[in-house]
Amino acid sequence: MDDTPILSARDLGFAYGSIVALHSVDFDLPAGRIGLVGANGAGKTTLIKILLGILHPTAGSATVLGFDATKDMLDVRSRIGYMPEGDCLPLDVTASDFVAYSAGLAGLPRNAARQRSSDVLTLVGLDEERFRPLGGFSTGMKQRTKLAQAIVHDPELVFLDEPTAGLDPEGREEMLELISRLGGFGINVLVSSHVLGDIERTCDRVLMLDGGRVLRSGPLSHLVDADVVSVDVIGDISAVVEHLTAAGATVEASGSRLLVSSSDDDPFRLVRDALASTGSGMRSLGAKTTTLEDVFLEGSGV
Amino acid sequence: MTERGVVFDLGYTPHEGERRGRRGAITTTYRDGLNRVFGIHRRARKKILPWLLVVFAVLPAVVFVGFAFLLSTFAPEAESPFGSHADYFGITGTVVLLFVALGAPELLIPDRREGVLAIYSSRPLRPDDYVGARAASLLTVIAGFMLIPQILMYIGFAALSSDGFFKALGTNADAIPKILAAAAVYALAAAPLGLLISTIASRKAAATGIYFGVMLIGTALAAALVEASGVPGHRFAALLGLGELPAHVNDWIFGRVGSSDLVVESSGFDPWVSLVVILVVAGVSSAVVVWRYRRIM
């Protein structure tokens, strides 16, 4: 995969009057599906608005697809799509007309806009409803229409701001499925969400914001796949711990459960040897699953 | 046996054709503005009023030319009782006020209320482009209202002239710059203020009401204030009658100053003063609209 950053920021800052929304934000994000996570008020939407050229940073700079987000705003906007979090649909227009209009606004000629509107609405599952006014759409259908207008002009990168907001479980599943498919269409994605499970489902890289600062940034697999083994021991726990520690493992005990990690050796093998040497048994053994939520809570000190 | 349909997933096809960038975004916004004010791609009820106003604007011209045709056929010696180009601006000026009262809110307010500005903000379009395209849509429609009936009358009366069609066109050619100038004055008097009110008001009905208030009630109020002769400088209140200022300038353009009972005229103001007021109001209104949209887009 090409590691050339599609999104970068250097010492990026923004303040709404006396309220500082972003402090010295730095990142380089390569192509792919990127999750932008953080609690409400973490600065996610502010960051997206800066990347779109809607807000101008009060400090530092940001680039999108190699273009300066402020100075080259029109170049950026010619290449990106945006699905806003809030309402953005005219209620008295059909989905077909609106998505075609959105394509025209991105510079596509009329016939191409019409054709792509039809194709993309079919892709998001609105082929039968596309000639109905948007005012009669359910929340799920509106979210799909919002996604359709964001990708109708075949952007290189699409910003999705809380794409699952307000959706029921079924609608959420369908939206996540659609987002997961975007990478296959050659469209890079930045998904902003405070629902960490959605990011885990759809993204391969994550940028975590907390209080306007970057908490973590990197491939999702590096953040959530800690090399830790969880074992529930039957027998003399202290002997097992002693054996593991002597073998160079780091052990964290909680009742009969041990969390074992090692920078030098396979922790599974160390656990096996310790149990065999001490004659202890076990109830369960497995890799400890670290969720994005664990990482976020650990990083934010909650 | 019933044959079952087959769904083909055609997948996603990248767009490899033309991309027109900012130019395309501006023309799309402009074209959408035209569609909106006429209710095209909207429900039927949104089409009724604008098209009714088109009929009101054009039908008298058709009737005038039709009666002129009848007169020229059956009573060639009779003087045509129907209006001149200058008179006709009195009709279309009123229709334009009505149209701007309905059309300007339709152009600006739904995009703000329904959050559609967020979509414009992700397209290669600057706030000034958006405002400019919307204003151009409104001005185009106003120009149509103003000029189409005038062109009908110009060509129609020339066709019925006993001097011959082409000679009559040439003889009346001096009316063309006057018609264009008068149309521009009416457009400047009506559109920027309508857009300003639609920028400030949050509901279409409120914007329409305020616009009528400023243009019609404001004119009546100005007349009442002028009458209040006990107030020093009361005659300047006549300049607040924005609804009748273009008629004052129209009379000037067509060389008919003194022929009407306009309050601004009876208060002793020259037509150029009315023109300056129109230009100042238009300039300030346009600047405020652009300033506001630069803040919210």
Side-chain angles (χ1 to χ4, degrees):
Chain A
M1 185 183 280
D2 183 6
D3 278 345
T4 308
I6 57 167
L7 294 170
S8 297
R10 291 286 171 274
D11 198 24
L12 187 66
F14 186 82
Y16 295 97
S18 60
I19 301 167
V20 180
L22 292 175
H23 306 259
S24 297
V25 169
D26 281 286
F27 56 77
D28 285 305
L29 299 168
R33 287 174 297 175
I34 303 155
L36 175 60
V37 302
N40 291 331
K44 304 188 298 292
T45 300
T46 300
L47 177 59
I48 288 180
K49 287 186 173 177
I50 289 174
L51 297 175
L52 285 169
I54 298 171
L55 297 177
H56 295 183
T58 48
S61 63
T63 63
V64 179
L65 300 165
F67 294 97
D68 187 289
T70 305
K71 293 177 193 156
D72 307 322
M73 178 188 80
L74 295 180
D75 289 312
V76 170
R77 291 183 181 181
S78 297
R79 291 166 174 79
I80 57 98
Y82 174 45
M83 176 179 172
E85 179 183 2
D87 293 334
C88 64
L89 303 177
L91 303 180
D92 59 345
V93 178
T94 65
S96 174
D97 284 340
F98 175 66
V99 175
Y101 179 52
S102 302
L105 283 177
L108 268 62
R110 277 171 97 171
N111 289 343
R114 274 273 156 221
Q115 182 60 51
R116 287 197 61 83
S117 165
S118 174
D119 293 348
V120 170
L121 283 168
T122 301
L123 189 78
V124 301
L126 291 173
D127 47 336
E128 289 181 7
E129 295 87 357
R130 66 181 187 269
F131 297 119
R132 282 174 48 191
L134 292 165
F137 274 25
S138 66
T139 305
M141 290 156 72
K142 284 180 179 169
Q143 289 295 90
R144 285 160 181 261
T145 310
K146 284 162 65 175
L147 179 62
Q149 67 75 28
I151 62 171
V152 65
H153 52 296
D154 188 27
E156 292 175 43
L157 167 66
V158 64
F159 297 104
L160 309 177
D161 197 355
E162 302 285 357
T164 57
L167 295 180
D168 58 26
E170 190 183 351
R172 181 169 164 270
E173 284 299 312
E174 290 168 352
M175 179 57 72
L176 294 177
E177 173 65 25
L178 280 169
I179 295 169
S180 298
R181 291 177 66 191
L182 292 179
F185 305 152
I187 301 175
N188 298 297
V189 186
L190 179 85
V191 187
S192 165
S193 179
H194 65 277
V195 183
L196 302 178
D198 290 357
I199 300 296
E200 285 180 328
R201 286 272 307 278
T202 54
C203 297
D204 43 38
R205 184 170 279 272
V206 70
L207 174 67
M208 276 187 184
L209 292 180
D210 184 43
R213 298 175 194 277
V214 175
L215 197 61
R216 296 281 174 87
S217 176
L220 199 58
S221 56
H222 290 192
L223 292 176
V224 299
D225 289 347
D227 200 9
V228 177
V229 166
S230 170
V231 58
D232 194 356
V233 178
I234 304 168
D236 184 2
I237 289 178
S238 56
V240 175
V241 170
E242 193 175 318
H243 194 279
L244 285 167
T245 308
T250 305
V251 183
E252 193 180 316
S254 173
S256 63
R257 180 168 294 279
L258 302 178
L259 295 175
V260 184
S261 62
S262 172
S263 55
D264 302 327
D265 213 334
D266 178 3
F268 278 101
R269 200 175 63 75
L270 294 177
V271 168
R272 179 199 66 191
D273 292 349
L275 292 173
S277 301
T278 59
S280 304
M282 66 176 182
R283 290 188 191 86
S284 64
L285 173 70
K288 178 181 178 289
T289 307
T290 306
T291 65
L292 205 50
E293 190 169 354
D294 297 330
V295 178
F296 182 75
L297 293 176
E298 181 192 324
S300 60
V302 177
Chain B
M1 192 173 105
T2 312
E3 278 197 33
R4 301 187 65 180
V6 179
V7 176
F8 294 97
D9 182 3
L10 299 177
Y12 180 85
T13 315
H15 174 71
E16 289 167 354
E18 182 191 4
R19 289 177 190 268
R20 297 180 303 159
R22 182 184 179 201
R23 180 171 54 89
I26 292 172
T27 52
T28 300
T29 308
Y30 167 75
R31 208 168 40 232
D32 175 70
L34 295 179
N35 287 341
R36 270 190 199 205
V37 293
F38 285 116
I40 296 168
H41 297 311
R42 259 70 179 178
R43 291 177 181 181
R45 65 185 165 84
K46 293 220 167 187
K47 296 177 175 62
I48 296 170
L49 275 175
W51 288 102
L52 208 58
L53 290 175
V54 171
V55 171
F56 284 158
V58 177
L59 192 64
V62 175
V63 171
F64 288 180
V65 175
F67 272 99
F69 170 72
L70 292 175
L71 272 182
S72 68
T73 305
F74 299 108
E77 305 304 317
E79 190 78 10
S80 173
F82 300 113
S84 62
H85 292 293
D87 291 334
Y88 205 86
F89 276 114
I91 298 172
T92 45
T94 307
V95 175
V96 160
L97 279 188
L98 293 169
F99 196 88
V100 171
L102 297 169
E106 189 66 46
L107 281 171
L108 296 182
I109 294 177
D111 281 344
R112 287 204 314 276
R113 276 185 68 84
E114 293 165 348
V116 189
L117 285 186
I119 305 297
Y120 291 99
S121 297
S122 66
R123 299 299 198 254
L125 195 74
R126 295 180 185 281
D128 297 12
D129 297 335
Y130 171 81
V131 171
R134 290 298 198 218
S137 304
L138 190 60
L139 289 171
T140 302
V141 177
I142 292 173
F145 272 104
M146 288 286 173
L147 297 178
I148 289 171
Q150 298 284 355
I151 292 167
L152 271 176
M153 287 170 61
Y154 181 72
I155 293 173
F157 289 143
L160 300 172
S161 170
S162 55
D163 297 338
F165 177 67
F166 292 106
K167 192 175 178 195
L169 284 184
T171 308
N172 298 327
D174 63 327
I176 293 175
K178 293 177 182 173
I179 290 169
L180 293 175
V185 168
Y186 274 98
L188 280 175
L193 190 63
L195 293 172
L196 171 66
I197 291 168
S198 301
T199 297
I200 296 165
S202 59
R203 290 185 176 276
K204 289 191 283 184
T208 301
I210 293 168
Y211 187 75
F212 278 139
V214 171
M215 291 306 232
L216 302 179
I217 300 172
T219 301
L221 193 66
L225 287 171
V226 169
E227 292 298 316
S229 54
V231 182
H234 61 96
R235 79 184 187 99
F236 286 95
L239 298 176
L240 298 173
L242 298 178
E244 69 167 28
L245 298 184
H248 195 203
V249 181
N250 183 49
D251 285 348
W252 184 35
I253 290 169
F254 284 96
R256 310 187 327 163
V257 175
S259 64
S260 59
D261 53 356
L262 299 170
V263 175
V264 66
E265 193 173 293
S266 58
S267 299
F269 288 103
D270 289 334
W272 67 264
V273 179
S274 294
L275 180 61
V276 168
V277 173
I278 288 170
L279 293 175
V280 168
V281 171
V284 171
S285 300
S286 304
V288 173
V289 172
V290 169
W291 172 80
R292 168 98 168 113
Y293 272 86
R294 281 181 185 170
R295 288 179 67 89
I296 62 176
M297 275 184 86

